[in-house]
Amino acid sequence: MMKSPTTSPSVTMMIFFSDVTYKVVMKGMTTSEEKDILKGITGCVSPGEVLALMGPSGSGKTSLLNLLGGRITHHPTVGGSITYNDQPYSKFLKSRIGFVTQDDVLFPHLTVKETLTYAARLRLPNTLTQEQKEQRALDVIYELGLERCQDTMIGGSFVRGVSGGERKRVCIGNEIIINPSLLLLDEPTSGLDSTTALRIVQMLQHIAEAGKTVVTTIHQPSSRLFHKFDKLILLGKGSLIYFGKASEAMSYFQYIGCSPLITMNPAEFLLDLANGNINDVSVPSELEDKVQMGNLSEAETRNGKPSPALVQEYLVEAYETRVAETEKKKLLVPIPLDEELKSKVLCSKRQWGASWCEQFSILFLRGFKERRHDYFSWLRITQVLSTAVILGLLWWQSDAKNPKGMQDQAGLLFFIAVFWGFFPVFTAIFTFPQERAMLNKERATDMYRLSAYFVARTTSDLPLDLILPVLFLLVVYFMAGLRLSAGPFLLSILTVFLCIVAAQGLGLAIGATLMDLKRATTLASVTVMTFMLAGGFFVKRVPIFISWIRYISFNYHTYKLLLKVQYDEEVTPMINGIRIDSGSTEVVALIAMVFGYRLLAYLSLRWMNVS
């Protein structure tokens, strides 16, 4: 494995955690109760070591990892202490901590090289040039053995891309690109075959050897994987069953009377114990005596053997009475730390890897590259062009010189206003709910400002949004025989574009506020239907107590503008019941919707981030 010249972190980090507790409030229909997730976990990990957090599902592994990574802070139900080089957690440590989540949160249409290059440009210090950041991304690609697939798309559910092991290495590369002092990983081997999983763990060893502190959760590793770990924490229902060297775990459990009766993978044996399962495991003499003497209730025995709950209770008690005090005393012994290390942790300042404008330009380009594939899919192009051809055939060379022809054309213009109001709303609804995991992940590491992301995300679609409407109008406009001159044609395009941007704003606001696709789709359906009905075509005389709806309907304002563009020179000031005026009111209303809806969406995202 190649070594990057900047692999070694600038600050080594020692983590101590003592009597860590964590509870969550379980809310029922009428009452709420607290559930213990972690019950007094104590341990430590030093630079150059790989600490594995093991335990069955629901034992608290991920919760402990989140606490160590500062993902759960200032929570009223968190107790105990966690220190980094003898200092408590602060937000300034974000730039020194890498966190690899269990789910591979990546953009499917970006290549491996693009993914890591964008991460380098956003996360590396702004003291480095763009060329140095891009070189760092290449170094990480070679360090992780990704050079063969660097120009391959990541892929996803409907996009063919790299393999599962390569995806996981890209996720790790996203974090080690900043040379973190502490690297945390949640289930990095889940879903991988044993050979690929071994390569991942060997890679973690190399990362630790470079001076980093590595902590990883792992569910059921093979025996080869298990022996790669330096330290082990074994959890059972939130309680600590073992903390110490991984190589000494089997000896400890044999010492307390639990040893496998058949040849077993050490990890499988330990997980059986953490679950309270003692099949093919010798029963400790203390428990065996209790069973034989009949001192246990029916709930504490099962088929003549101690119940899983009793076994877990015994293991927790055995650790607390025989090992815990000794380990805690070791942690209390002060380990000499360079005062410079402490000051670096204390005096670190929050620094962005790029200025606001640079963040915007990087995120704009990344968003444009990612979404151009969706925008120019054959399905979308076929949908738009086929609709345009059908409209052109139905309104073929319509004549606006007589009232009936003018009324027919008004129907076409209203449909255009509805189609380009409906279509963008339901496309934009998916924007933030689909990217929520990515946004949470990147914002948790201070990758960029929320405002830079929001502006880039909502503007990177605009160049793409203009192409399909132009193709649509090129077909409809000339087939339907609308005003054949450059001015009205260009104004029609601008009107439709303004409608699209306003409708997108509504979709963004609904999606960002609810963050639930089912509820957002339901609300959008009702809203768009109401706007369409109040758009001025179906109902001419709306009751005064509900007439205000048409003034907040982008369909209504778009329809009036399209009528204005087509019939500006007509003698009659009324067309199909709609009064034709200067159009300035409609333009101002649509522009207000463009910015107003987006402001609501931004405030919703800000509230979500704060909460």
Side-chain angles (χ1 to χ4, degrees):
M1 183 177 288
M2 293 184 66
K3 295 287 183 181
S4 166
T6 54
T7 294
S8 298
S10 56
V11 179
T12 56
M13 190 177 291
M14 305 186 72
I15 305 177
F16 295 86
F17 44 102
S18 177
D19 293 320
V20 174
T21 60
Y22 177 45
K23 299 178 182 179
V24 294
V25 178
M26 309 292 289
K27 293 184 179 180
M29 294 293 290
T30 55
T31 60
S32 59
E33 60 178 347
E34 287 188 342
K35 179 182 178 182
D36 290 315
I37 304 298
L38 296 172
K39 307 171 186 175
I41 311 301
T42 297
C44 68
V45 58
S46 303
E49 292 180 338
V50 180
L51 168 64
L53 309 180
M54 275 183 56
S57 299
S59 60
K61 304 186 300 293
T62 300
S63 295
L64 179 56
L65 193 75
N66 285 328
L67 284 166
L68 295 179
R71 298 295 176 100
I72 305 173
T73 56
H74 307 299
H75 200 284
T77 60
V78 174
S81 68
I82 303 174
T83 60
Y84 309 78
N85 289 352
D86 284 346
Q87 304 300 326
Y89 179 84
S90 69
K91 63 182 180 181
F92 306 124
L93 284 171
K94 285 184 179 181
S95 61
R96 303 200 185 280
I97 297 177
F99 198 109
V100 181
T101 56
Q102 184 175 353
D103 298 323
D104 300 334
V105 184
L106 299 166
F107 285 114
H109 292 105
L110 296 182
T111 65
V112 170
K113 185 177 180 180
E114 286 172 341
T115 299
L116 292 174
T117 299
Y118 287 133
R121 291 179 64 187
L122 286 166
R123 299 188 68 182
L124 288 176
N126 55 14
T127 53
L128 300 179
T129 64
Q130 181 174 325
E131 290 73 21
Q132 289 174 317
K133 291 181 177 183
E134 291 174 355
Q135 182 58 48
R136 172 60 184 155
L138 289 175
D139 291 341
V140 169
I141 286 172
Y142 282 95
E143 185 178 344
L144 300 183
L146 294 168
E147 60 272 16
R148 291 184 179 179
C149 63
Q150 61 179 316
D151 295 318
T152 305
M153 284 197 300
I154 297 293
S157 303
F158 305 104
V159 184
R160 192 171 181 179
V162 298
S163 67
E166 289 166 339
R167 284 172 64 90
K168 185 60 68 176
R169 278 183 279 165
V170 173
C171 291
I172 295 173
N174 264 333
E175 301 305 317
I176 68 169
I177 207 160
I178 60 169
N179 295 310
S181 304
L182 170 63
L183 180 63
L184 303 147
L185 307 98
D186 192 9
E187 302 277 5
T189 61
S190 62
L192 304 179
D193 62 81
S194 58
T195 304
T196 306
L198 180 62
R199 287 176 184 166
I200 295 292
V201 174
Q202 286 175 331
M203 185 177 64
L204 297 183
Q205 273 190 312
H206 286 294
I207 292 170
E209 287 168 3
K212 295 177 175 66
T213 304
V214 179
V215 182
T216 179
T217 64
I218 198 148
H219 184 60
Q220 191 165 348
S222 66
S223 55
R224 289 190 300 174
L225 260 64
F226 180 80
H227 292 297
K228 299 289 183 184
F229 301 124
D230 300 298
K231 285 183 176 177
L232 172 70
I233 281 181
L234 183 63
L235 298 173
K237 290 188 176 179
S239 297
L240 188 57
I241 296 175
Y242 177 78
F243 166 64
K245 292 182 178 179
S247 58
E248 297 175 0
M250 295 296 289
S251 302
Y252 163 74
F253 284 105
Q254 288 175 0
Y255 167 66
I256 64 171
C258 299
S259 55
L261 299 176
I262 59 174
T263 304
M264 294 178 71
N265 171 3
E268 187 179 352
F269 165 71
L270 295 175
L271 286 173
D272 277 350
L273 285 179
N275 275 312
N277 177 13
I278 53 174
N279 293 330
D280 301 321
V281 177
S282 62
V283 180
S285 56
E286 295 177 28
L287 290 181
E288 195 170 8
D289 291 343
K290 288 182 180 180
V291 172
Q292 291 177 354
M293 292 174 66
N295 294 336
L296 302 177
S297 64
E298 291 184 9
E300 294 176 318
T301 60
R302 183 176 294 176
N303 298 325
K305 290 185 177 182
S307 67
L310 188 63
V311 173
Q312 287 177 330
E313 184 181 324
Y314 169 77
L315 293 172
V316 172
E317 184 182 349
Y319 180 80
E320 288 178 350
T321 55
R322 305 186 193 193
V323 181
E325 288 303 318
T326 307
E327 289 294 335
K328 287 180 181 179
K329 286 178 181 176
K330 288 181 184 177
L331 295 179
L332 291 173
V333 176
I335 298 177
L337 285 174
D338 189 343
E339 289 299 321
E340 187 181 352
L341 292 183
K342 292 185 182 180
S343 64
K344 280 185 177 180
V345 174
L346 273 176
C347 299
S348 296
K349 292 183 179 180
R350 188 183 190 185
Q351 292 184 341
W352 299 102
S355 66
W356 192 96
C357 291
E358 288 172 331
Q359 289 175 11
F360 167 78
S361 62
I362 294 167
L363 293 170
F364 182 96
L365 183 60
R366 186 180 76 171
F368 184 85
K369 283 189 174 182
E370 168 61 25
R371 284 181 294 282
R372 63 184 175 180
H373 299 275
D374 291 332
Y375 268 81
F376 298 123
S377 65
W378 281 111
L379 187 64
R380 185 178 290 237
I381 294 173
T382 302
Q383 179 185 18
V384 170
L385 290 183
S386 59
T387 303
V389 170
I390 291 170
L391 292 176
L393 293 174
L394 289 173
W395 273 271
W396 178 261
Q397 296 301 309
S398 58
D399 186 7
K401 293 179 180 178
N402 59 76
K404 191 174 180 180
M406 186 181 292
Q407 188 173 1
D408 284 346
Q409 278 194 1
L412 171 63
L413 297 176
F414 182 75
F415 181 85
I416 291 173
V418 169
F419 182 76
W420 288 109
F422 177 91
F423 199 57
V425 168
F426 287 91
T427 303
I429 274 176
F430 293 87
T431 300
F432 296 123
Q434 283 186 338
E435 290 192 10
R436 182 176 186 172
M438 179 68 75
L439 179 61
N440 286 340
K441 170 194 162 188
E442 295 181 338
R443 286 285 295 150
T445 59
D446 276 350
M447 198 165 176
Y448 44 71
R449 293 174 174 87
L450 181 61
S451 56
Y453 163 80
F454 182 82
V455 177
R457 182 64 185 86
T458 55
T459 56
S460 59
D461 292 342
L462 297 183
L464 301 170
D465 286 329
L466 191 57
I467 295 172
L468 288 181
V470 169
L471 293 176
F472 177 90
L473 286 175
L474 279 172
V475 174
V476 172
Y477 202 89
F478 298 104
M479 287 182 71
L482 298 176
R483 286 182 65 182
L484 297 177
S485 56
F489 177 70
L490 293 175
L491 286 174
S492 297
I493 290 177
L494 289 176
T495 301
V496 170
F497 185 60
L498 197 56
C499 175
I500 289 171
V501 181
Q504 269 186 342
L506 176 64
L508 293 171
I510 293 175
T513 303
L514 297 180
M515 278 296 178
D516 179 89
L517 288 179
K518 286 186 178 179
R519 291 190 295 162
T521 304
T522 302
L523 177 59
S525 300
V526 174
T527 305
V528 169
M529 181 188 67
T530 305
F531 283 0
M532 178 185 69
L533 293 176
F537 185 79
F538 296 110
V539 184
K540 307 297 184 297
R541 295 181 180 178
V542 180
I544 193 167
F545 62 86
I546 201 171
S547 60
W548 56 270
I549 290 180
R550 64 168 44 181
Y551 298 109
I552 62 171
S553 165
F554 42 75
N555 297 132
Y556 175 72
H557 297 296
T558 304
Y559 179 42
K560 284 192 70 175
L561 282 175
L562 288 174
L563 290 175
K564 163 71 177 173
V565 168
Q566 290 299 315
Y567 309 119
D568 188 32
E569 297 176 1
E570 298 294 332
V571 176
T572 175
M574 294 281 290
I575 300 175
N576 202 31
I578 299 291
R579 180 173 295 279
I580 302 299
D581 50 27
S582 67
S584 58
T585 304
E586 286 70 35
V587 172
V588 170
L590 287 173
I591 291 174
M593 291 180 194
V594 168
F595 291 101
Y597 285 137
R598 280 168 171 75
L599 178 62
L600 176 59
Y602 176 75
L603 293 176
S604 297
L605 287 181
R606 175 65 67 185
W607 177 84
M608 180 193 77
N609 184 54
V610 171
S611 61

